[in-house]
Amino acid sequence: MPKYIAKQSIGQFMPGEEIKGLDADRIQALLVSGAIEEYKEPEKPKTDDSDARLAELEAEVAELKVNEEILIAGKDKAEAEVVELKVKIADLEKASGTEKKTTAKPANEPK
């Protein structure tokens, strides 16, 4: 059975008190007039889930660190490959350097 609270003085009931002992017709009339209202349980404050959120963020940070290590290893490997390729290019340029010098025209020579 629902509880009703007085919003204003009604006979022996003061504002904020629970209404008891009235018949259904009288309660309906008071509800319609706005003199009483149905009691609602106060909302409970939301639980503090900061510990769960902290654990979630820590897991995310750990995952990001693993990904960072993978990316760093890939970057280091790529940089090593670039150095190897530069060495090979330099060797090829030295081997074909004499051919380039004889066939290439100087940059400041008129056409």
Side-chain angles (χ1 to χ4, degrees):
M1 184 169 171
K3 294 181 180 181
Y4 298 97
I5 304 297
K7 290 174 66 177
Q8 60 190 30
S9 295
I10 302 170
Q12 66 190 24
F13 303 107
M14 300 301 290
E17 289 184 1
E18 183 180 348
I19 305 293
K20 294 182 181 181
L22 299 179
D23 63 2
D25 291 336
R26 181 74 175 135
I27 288 176
Q28 284 301 318
L30 291 171
L31 278 170
V32 170
S33 71
I36 66 171
E37 64 185 359
E38 190 171 343
Y39 176 74
K40 296 176 186 156
E41 290 289 331
E43 291 185 23
K44 294 180 182 177
K46 293 183 180 179
T47 57
D48 185 17
D49 62 345
S50 60
D51 291 337
R53 181 69 176 138
L54 179 61
E56 182 181 308
L57 290 173
E58 286 174 345
E60 192 174 329
V61 166
E63 182 181 343
L64 289 171
K65 285 183 179 182
V66 168
N67 289 339
E68 179 185 27
E69 292 298 322
I70 292 169
L71 290 171
I72 289 172
K75 177 182 169 247
D76 292 343
K77 182 179 176 185
E79 286 176 348
E81 290 176 358
V82 166
V83 168
E84 288 177 25
L85 290 172
K86 284 183 178 180
V87 168
K88 286 181 181 179
I89 289 171
D91 290 343
L92 289 172
E93 286 177 348
K94 284 180 186 177
S96 65
T98 56
E99 294 174 15
K100 282 186 178 180
K101 287 182 181 177
T102 58
T103 59
K105 294 182 180 180
N108 53 358
E109 185 177 299
K111 293 183 180 182

